[in-house]
Amino acid sequence: MRVQALQAGRPFNIGVCQRASIRPSKILNRRHLATAHSGLPHPHVDIASRTPPYQKLVKKLHEVRKVLGHSRQLTLAEKILYSHLDNPEESLLTNTQNGANIRGMANLKLKPDRVAMQDASAQMALLQFMSCGLPSTAVPASIHCDHMIVGEKGADTDLPASITGNKEVFDFLESAAKKYGIEFWPPGAGIIHQSVLENYSAPGLMMLGTDSHTPNAGGLGAIAIGVGGADAVDALVDAPWELKAPKILGVELVGELSGWTSPKDVIMYLAGQLTVRGGTGYVIEYFGPGVETLSCTGMATICNMGAEVGATTSLFPFSAQHVPYLVATHREPIAKAAQAIASAPSVQNLLRADSEAQYDKVITIDLSKLEPHINGPMTPDLSTPLSKFASVVEENNWPRTFGAGLIGSCTNSSYQDMTRAEDLVKQASAAGLSPKADFFITPGSEQIRATLDRDDTLSTFSSAGGTVLANACGPCIGQWKRTDGVKKGESNAIFTSYNRNFRGRNDGNPLTMNFLASPELVTAMSYAGSTTFNPITDTLPTPSGTPFRFSPPKGSDLPAAGFAEGNPEFFATPGVPTPSEEVKVDPSSTRLALLDPFPPFPNSELAGLRVLYKVKGQCTTDTISAAGPWLKYKGHLPNISENTLIGAINAATDEVNTAYDVDGTTSGIPDLAKRWRDAGIEWLVVAEHNYGEGSAREHAALQPRYLGGRVILAKSFARIHETNLKKQGVVPLTFVNETDYDLIDACDDVSTVGLLDVLKSGGKGSVGLLVKKKDGSEVRVQTKHTMSGDQCGFIIAGSALNLLAMKGKEGREEVTRENELTD
């Protein structure tokens, strides 16, 4: 979609936005209010809209059994996915040898129960949804303002400053939410994944989220999948959402965690086994006796970081540990309904795998033998046991000291996480110690913050010198203004309990090494300020001269007094549409711009494409569309396109964001892309493995499309990004022979061979590329694709949204004709 601001219209003026006009003083004055929760539904919550349609799902599971045969043994993931099929027979029997070979073959057309969106990605998702002309969303949905809040000095300073700086966007999001019946969680309410776990996730639910860590909800037995905004729009308009049937990776848990080992270490170890590509095309399903030993929030942590291995999603079966968590978060009716289903015979049991279900792969982890791990730097799959980490630091000449320890985030901000960290701080404080590294704490939600405040956990952190940041993403996604004097380009280390540690992600400094660990380990190591410190075996000097060694941390899964509600200003608005609400965008805005459709695919092959850039090595969505200060342009495609691929390494020169035109002149990648686009030259990018790994941000697909990109040719793709490309009309192709990567260079002329036939046939056939080199010689490259019939339709139409808009227009015209005939 090309973008333009409205040519006519008044300034953005939303009179209903008392909350997002958000009065910082009112919020901060009430920040410390807290009352205890009960297990009963909250009076402000519509429990019915948050309860999965269990009766409908069990009935659909019965249909699936009839289609596949009642003797067919299904995994938990298959049960939940297949029970959300729009048409089980069509999805399960097409291209699957009559249902015998579904995994990796079938195109599942699914009807999710719910959609969740964070503020950065919600902007583009809503702009796309608005163009469909519908009065409300077809499924319950929520918006969570968490990504656009900067962490620097502490919540009481950072939150009002961020609200003021992003007022236009927050006003837009809240007014659109009110118009279309979407629940709106204002800035300060919490991080999307923690809020979803506390309010929306439930056993058997299927939801889409516009963030790659949406699988966090799998800790409560949901199928929760991270997607781009265009995919979310499918669900919002009641169009079936398509997913290639995943394979199932079973992870058997035996034994029980103890001492310093935490749930975070389960997924840290698994990431080291699988690598960032090992989960691609799989759902990770946990099972075994060890499951019952984990807390609900611990399971969520494990599922959250499944995104780092490329998995479609991760989930746990219904567990006894789910019940107290649901009760503590006002959802006792859901707990009772889930218990009833989980105790049903296998043929009707939606919430547990069949006893003879087969997994494509099985990995067994003995929790009793697992030790703490540290992952990084620069990639979340470089996993090292704590006992070996000091020697690895020395071998690699990594920094011996680190400047900041940061705990919390969507991955690790539960009550259990924070109270275990608190226990260590109390131990150190009693010994007269203070952290040697700057220490930051990010509560995951207002519910968590208020509870920790009531129970004096936050005061323990603050008294020790810690800085409590806002209930938001903050440093985890690059919204961090460091005040420790570390300059960009200066090599340094930090320790975090976050989920992702790509180069430059947290502070914009490509030489900052982020080592991932559990909150407990980050907390203890912050008292040493040393990357080689092992809190299990090493001691620290104290003012008294007596060596101090930490005891293993202890904490509580749930607060004994129940969760506190916190500030009522942070409650979500009701999901009731207000059709009269007016949503406008200032034509002079630099933050928001309405979308125009991208042009459709030509009725010919793509000829005269030019290679814009040949990327070397890792190319994440952060590389393609940087976050941090660029987040403010998420709703304005022309402006955010100025960061396209600025982190990419030139395969020919090792330069970053340096592109060469055919005459040898150099420029930044976005500048060359715009110059070629404006001259009528469309282009492609050539890349290596796992192109687009990382977040779900669809801007990494929208921006290249807006700048004239037509094809991405890579050795392999990350799942979400490959889908996002197709949704925006960009053709993703992979090499048949990976060595052909070496045959193509920047500025080569490329034409497709067979692409038009593939698109018109609904994905049948293959695509070749005819590459003309600068010296006039030609090279032929064979490629593979994964485009389904529906996805071919997206590309032909120009984008998925174009196709939806056309179908919507046809539907409205049909209704008009029927009304005219009736009259």
Side-chain angles (χ1 to χ4, degrees):
M1 292 168 193
R2 285 192 188 273
V3 175
Q4 63 179 22
L6 281 176
Q7 296 303 309
R10 294 154 291 184
F12 199 22
N13 180 19
I14 303 170
V16 300
C17 285
Q18 288 88 13
R19 284 235 274 58
S21 301
I22 292 183
R23 293 165 284 186
S25 59
K26 182 174 182 180
I27 285 180
L28 296 177
N29 286 340
R30 305 186 69 176
R31 186 171 168 80
H32 299 292
L33 291 177
T35 57
H37 276 175
S38 72
L40 299 176
H42 193 285
H44 300 294
V45 170
D46 177 10
I47 195 70
S49 72
R50 299 185 180 187
T51 303
Y54 285 129
Q55 187 174 358
K56 175 184 174 183
L57 296 177
V58 171
K59 182 179 179 181
K60 187 63 69 75
L61 178 60
H62 180 67
E63 289 182 40
V64 170
R65 298 281 195 193
K66 288 174 63 178
V67 170
L68 297 179
H70 290 282
S71 62
R72 180 71 165 265
Q73 299 286 287
L74 300 174
T75 65
L76 173 61
E78 289 174 311
K79 285 185 176 183
I80 299 177
L81 281 171
Y82 299 171
S83 295
H84 285 86
L85 287 169
D86 186 39
N87 183 328
E89 186 171 1
E90 178 188 348
S91 286
L92 298 176
L93 300 185
T94 302
N95 195 36
T96 64
Q97 296 177 311
N98 202 35
N101 193 16
I102 295 172
R103 299 177 192 172
M105 298 299 296
N107 290 314
L108 306 179
K109 296 186 178 181
L110 300 154
K111 288 293 190 77
D113 302 312
R114 173 174 287 279
V115 172
M117 298 172 278
Q118 40 96 334
D119 51 354
S121 56
Q123 297 170 59
M124 199 59 69
L126 287 173
L127 288 168
Q128 293 176 88
F129 174 77
M130 287 163 58
S131 70
C132 294
L134 298 178
S136 64
T137 62
V139 297
S142 56
I143 296 170
H144 304 260
C145 296
D146 61 356
H147 272 55
M148 302 179 70
I149 299 168
V150 174
E152 181 182 7
K153 299 177 181 178
D156 290 352
T157 299
D158 299 340
L159 181 58
S162 296
I163 289 170
T164 300
N166 296 294
K167 179 181 183 299
E168 178 183 4
V169 172
F170 292 146
D171 284 356
F172 164 71
L173 293 174
E174 186 170 12
S175 66
K178 183 171 184 179
K179 182 177 183 68
Y180 298 113
I182 301 170
E183 292 185 58
F184 177 81
W185 294 82
I191 304 173
I192 178 172
H193 310 305
Q194 183 68 27
S195 294
V196 165
L197 192 71
E198 294 172 354
N199 294 276
Y200 303 125
S201 182
L205 179 84
M206 182 186 174
M207 67 170 285
L208 303 182
T210 60
D211 190 279
S212 59
H213 293 109
T214 297
N216 188 85
L220 198 41
I223 284 279
I225 301 175
V227 297
D231 275 355
V233 171
D234 281 350
L236 294 176
V237 304
D238 198 31
W241 176 70
E242 185 174 307
L243 174 71
K244 178 69 73 174
K247 296 180 180 180
I248 314 296
L249 170 62
V251 177
E252 181 185 26
L253 301 180
V254 299
E256 184 173 359
L257 298 173
S258 63
W260 285 87
T261 312
S262 74
K264 179 73 165 276
D265 296 304
V266 175
I267 187 62
M268 300 270 275
Y269 167 80
L270 189 62
Q273 298 298 301
L274 293 175
T275 78
V276 291
R277 292 191 284 135
T280 304
Y282 286 86
V283 167
I284 300 177
E285 182 171 315
Y286 293 87
F287 69 99
V291 168
E292 296 296 334
T293 69
L294 299 173
S295 67
C296 177
T297 53
M299 296 183 213
T301 292
I302 294 169
C303 289
N304 179 294
M305 273 193 70
E308 311 321 320
V309 299
T312 301
T313 193
S314 304
L315 83 162
F316 278 82
F318 181 77
S319 164
Q321 299 298 324
H322 290 156
V323 176
Y325 186 80
L326 285 167
V327 171
T329 52
H330 298 309
R331 294 175 288 171
E332 188 171 358
I334 296 177
K336 290 181 176 179
Q339 280 180 302
I341 293 173
S343 62
S346 179
V347 70
Q348 300 168 326
N349 194 328
L350 177 70
L351 303 181
R352 299 187 194 278
D354 290 335
S355 60
E356 301 295 323
Q358 298 295 308
Y359 298 95
D360 294 282
K361 296 180 183 178
V362 174
I363 295 175
T364 299
I365 301 177
D366 188 339
L367 303 179
S368 301
K369 297 179 180 179
L370 187 66
E371 70 170 294
H373 279 64
I374 297 173
N375 287 27
M378 309 302 182
T379 182
D381 61 353
L382 183 56
S383 185
T384 306
L386 174 62
S387 60
K388 299 179 180 179
F389 191 71
S391 61
V392 172
V393 168
E394 294 175 1
E395 289 169 9
N396 288 278
N397 198 28
W398 292 335
R400 301 299 197 275
T401 61
F402 67 97
L406 303 99
I407 66 170
S409 83
C410 68
T411 318
N412 279 114
S413 60
S414 68
Y415 190 80
Q416 181 184 37
D417 290 325
M418 292 300 184
T419 54
R420 281 170 64 89
E422 177 192 23
D423 179 60
L424 296 171
V425 172
K426 286 181 174 179
Q427 291 181 42
S429 296
L433 298 176
S434 298
K436 293 288 183 65
D438 292 343
F439 187 45
F440 296 91
I441 303 94
T442 301
S445 70
E446 174 61 7
Q447 175 175 277
I448 288 292
R449 186 213 62 79
T451 306
L452 296 174
D453 187 34
R454 180 200 65 198
D455 296 349
D456 294 325
T457 303
L458 294 186
S459 64
T460 299
F461 291 145
S462 297
S463 297
T467 299
V468 180
L469 301 175
N471 314 324
C473 300
C476 183
I477 60 153
Q479 292 284 57
W480 183 25
K481 290 184 179 179
R482 295 185 69 167
T483 57
D484 56 1
V486 174
K487 298 177 182 178
K488 190 170 184 177
E490 180 181 341
S491 179
N492 72 105
I494 62 175
F495 270 70
T496 78
S497 69
Y498 301 161
N499 47 34
R500 195 164 279 165
N501 58 351
F502 297 143
R503 187 182 302 273
R505 175 177 174 87
N506 302 107
D507 60 1
N509 182 359
L511 295 186
T512 294
M513 299 183 188
N514 178 1
F515 294 97
L516 306 175
S518 67
E520 302 93 305
L521 209 52
V522 173
T523 299
M525 294 185 74
S526 293
Y527 278 87
S530 167
T531 57
T532 59
F533 176 69
N534 182 338
I536 299 177
T537 59
D538 297 345
T539 61
L540 296 171
T542 66
S544 68
T546 303
F548 166 78
R549 178 179 293 161
F550 284 104
S551 297
K554 297 178 181 179
S556 302
D557 294 359
L558 294 170
F563 284 112
E565 288 185 355
N567 187 350
E569 289 292 314
F570 292 132
F571 291 169
T573 60
V576 179
T578 306
S580 61
E581 178 66 19
E582 194 170 8
V583 182
K584 288 173 281 189
V585 178
D586 185 344
S588 63
S589 174
T590 61
R591 303 288 301 272
L592 297 163
L594 299 186
L595 300 171
D596 266 355
F598 288 132
F601 195 88
N603 191 30
S604 64
E605 295 290 333
L606 295 176
L609 294 175
R610 192 178 289 169
V611 178
L612 175 73
Y613 209 71
K614 184 176 179 180
V615 182
K616 177 182 178 179
Q618 185 184 48
C619 193
T620 71
T621 48
D622 282 38
T623 308
I624 306 165
S625 176
W630 290 95
L631 283 175
K632 61 178 174 284
Y633 298 125
K634 284 283 189 176
H636 198 292
L637 186 52
N639 282 348
I640 199 168
S641 293
E642 295 295 328
N643 78 4
T644 304
L645 285 162
I646 61 174
I649 298 174
N650 189 316
T653 66
D654 284 339
E655 296 169 296
V656 176
N657 189 30
T658 303
Y660 288 76
D661 207 338
V662 290
D663 61 1
T665 58
T666 62
S667 61
I669 299 171
D671 291 334
L672 182 59
K674 284 189 296 182
R675 189 158 66 244
W676 284 2
R677 177 199 64 189
D678 295 343
I681 301 169
E682 295 180 316
W683 48 265
L684 73 156
V685 165
V686 178
E688 297 199 69
H689 276 298
N690 215 26
Y691 182 85
E693 70 172 284
S695 75
R697 66 189 66 159
E698 67 177 336
H699 293 76
L702 275 163
Q703 292 169 216
R705 181 73 163 105
Y706 173 73
L707 292 176
R710 277 294 194 177
V711 172
I712 306 293
L713 175 62
K715 293 180 180 178
S716 65
F717 287 94
R719 176 193 63 83
I720 300 176
H721 185 62
E722 184 176 20
T723 300
N724 286 343
L725 289 170
K726 297 170 187 175
K727 288 276 185 172
Q728 301 305 337
V730 180
V731 179
L733 300 173
T734 56
F735 293 98
V736 169
N737 299 305
E738 292 182 8
T739 55
D740 286 350
Y741 168 87
D742 298 325
L743 302 179
I744 307 177
D745 297 293
C747 293
D748 283 352
D749 186 273
V750 178
S751 298
T752 63
V753 180
L755 176 58
L756 184 63
D757 289 339
V758 166
L759 295 176
K760 287 187 173 182
S761 67
K764 298 176 182 177
S766 61
V767 180
L769 298 176
L770 180 61
V771 182
K772 187 174 182 180
K773 308 293 291 181
K774 290 181 181 179
D775 62 6
S777 62
E778 293 184 347
V779 176
R780 290 185 179 271
V781 174
Q782 293 303 310
T783 72
K784 298 178 288 185
H785 74 86
T786 61
M787 293 178 289
S788 68
D790 286 352
Q791 291 167 343
C792 288
F794 303 156
I795 293 169
I796 289 172
S799 71
L801 191 59
N802 287 4
L803 194 60
L804 278 176
M806 284 189 288
K807 290 180 177 178
K809 181 180 178 182
E810 291 170 359
R812 290 191 294 272
E813 290 173 349
E814 180 64 25
V815 170
T816 301
R817 284 193 295 270
E818 290 176 357
N819 290 339
E820 289 174 349
L821 290 173
T822 302
D823 293 342

